[in-house]
């Protein structure tokens, strides 16, 4: 069963890993490795998705299965 909930700042590390994996599996072959790494660090690090989790102006929803994050929006 898939559960849905709001993300917490404590979810940042796991969410970043999932988001990086999803993006890399989907689009990774389109980029040079150094460009991909730079994008992933920017988009999913403290200045990106992880930082957004601490911003009250944003809301991130998680899909979880057996307690593990499997998707987000």
């Amino acid at each position: 069963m898939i559960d849905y909930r709001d993300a917490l700042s404590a979810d940042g590390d796991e969410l970043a890993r999932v988001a990086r994996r999803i993006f890399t599996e989907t689009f990774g072959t389109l980029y040079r490795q150094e460009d991909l790494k730079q994008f992933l660090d920017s988009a999913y690090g403290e200045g990106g998705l992880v930082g957004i989790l601490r911003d009250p102006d944003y809301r991130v929803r998680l899909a979880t299965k057996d307690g593990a994050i499997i998707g987000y929006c």
Side-chain angles (χ1 to χ4, degrees), residues 4-5 8 10-11 13-14 23 25 30-31 34-35 37 39-40 44-45 48 52-53 61 65 67:
Y4 300 94
R5 65 175 176 84
L8 307 170
D11 294 313
D13 290 340
E14 183 182 2
F23 187 90
E25 288 175 1
L30 303 175
Y31 298 91
E34 58 271 13
D35 293 338
K37 182 184 179 331
F39 170 78
L40 294 173
Y44 302 119
I52 285 173
L53 295 179
R61 294 284 291 167
K65 184 173 183 180

Side-chain angles (χ1 to χ4, degrees), residues 2-22 49 53 60-73:
I2 297 174
D3 295 306
Y4 300 94
R5 65 175 176 84
D6 288 335
L8 307 170
S9 59
D11 294 313
D13 290 340
E14 183 182 2
L15 179 55
R17 280 192 301 276
V18 170
R20 286 171 172 265
R21 189 190 78 238
I22 291 169
L49 184 59
L53 295 179
V60 177
R61 294 284 291 167
L62 302 178
T64 64
K65 184 173 183 180
D66 299 326
I69 297 171
I70 60 169
Y72 70 99
C73 64

Side-chain angles (χ1 to χ4, degrees), residues 28-61:
T29 59
L30 303 175
Y31 298 91
R32 295 183 321 195
Q33 286 302 304
E34 58 271 13
D35 293 338
L36 179 62
K37 182 184 179 331
Q38 183 178 2
F39 170 78
L40 294 173
D41 290 345
S42 173
Y44 302 119
E46 285 297 323
L49 184 59
V50 172
I52 285 173
L53 295 179
R54 288 187 294 278
D55 188 330
D57 290 336
Y58 290 90
R59 182 175 176 195
V60 177
R61 294 284 291 167

